Amino acid sequence: VQLQASGGGLVQPGGSLRLSCAASGSIFVINNMGWYRQAPGKQRELVARLTSGGRVDSADSVKGRFTISRDNAKNTVSLQMNSLKSEDAAVYYCYARVARSFRESFYDYWGQGTQVTVSS
């Protein structure tokens, strides 16, 4: 299973970015899918994730600014980030909890990370 993320970059405070991630490979079903981030010197933290049932879990710091969406048919997840702040700067990692067949358990898979820089 491979996760390919795209969409990071440099943006000014108050600006917007959209991250996208596509999962490919041997996929039977995806449970949770979403985004984590890690800033320098800090632990990786949840940004937002969507369960297969449509429940959204997100960090309080991004509520009202970030919107997560998912296309189950295409195995993609996107993160629309608005009103970006300097504290949102981090490497953002796409994440998916995947079962590769009906016999197998779910495992967590991670994308390569995409840098988001928020600076004037």
Side-chain angles (χ1 to χ4, degrees), residues 46-57:
L46 171 70
V47 178
R49 66 182 171 211
L50 263 171
T51 68
S52 57
R55 188 189 78 238
V56 175
D57 298 322

Side-chain angles (χ1 to χ4, degrees), residues 81-116:
M81 304 186 293
N82 298 329
S83 302
L84 281 159
K85 305 175 181 179
S86 57
E87 51 264 42
D88 295 317
V91 177
Y92 282 68
Y93 295 92
C94 178
Y95 149 84
R97 180 162 290 180
V98 178
R100 296 187 300 173
S101 76
F102 71 93
R103 297 187 192 89
E104 294 191 24
S105 300
F106 286 91
Y107 291 95
D108 294 340
Y109 293 87
W110 297 88
Q112 80 281 11
T114 184
Q115 179 72 49
V116 171

Side-chain angles (χ1 to χ4, degrees), residues 10-83:
L10 171 64
V11 64
Q12 292 185 344
S16 298
L17 279 177
R18 184 176 181 86
L19 305 183
S20 297
C21 176
S24 62
S26 182
I27 297 171
F28 176 64
V29 64
I30 299 177
N31 188 349
N32 300 341
M33 199 171 188
W35 298 89
Y36 284 69
R37 67 186 180 188
Q38 187 167 19
K42 295 187 176 181
Q43 289 189 330
R44 189 173 296 189
E45 63 174 0
L46 171 70
V47 178
R49 66 182 171 211
L50 263 171
T51 68
S52 57
R55 188 189 78 238
V56 175
D57 298 322
S58 62
D60 288 342
S61 61
V62 307
K63 288 178 180 176
R65 300 187 298 122
F66 291 11
T67 302
I68 188 170
S69 60
R70 180 173 167 177
D71 186 330
N72 292 326
K74 296 181 179 179
N75 292 332
T76 60
V77 64
S78 296
L79 185 70
Q80 177 66 41
M81 304 186 293
N82 298 329
S83 302

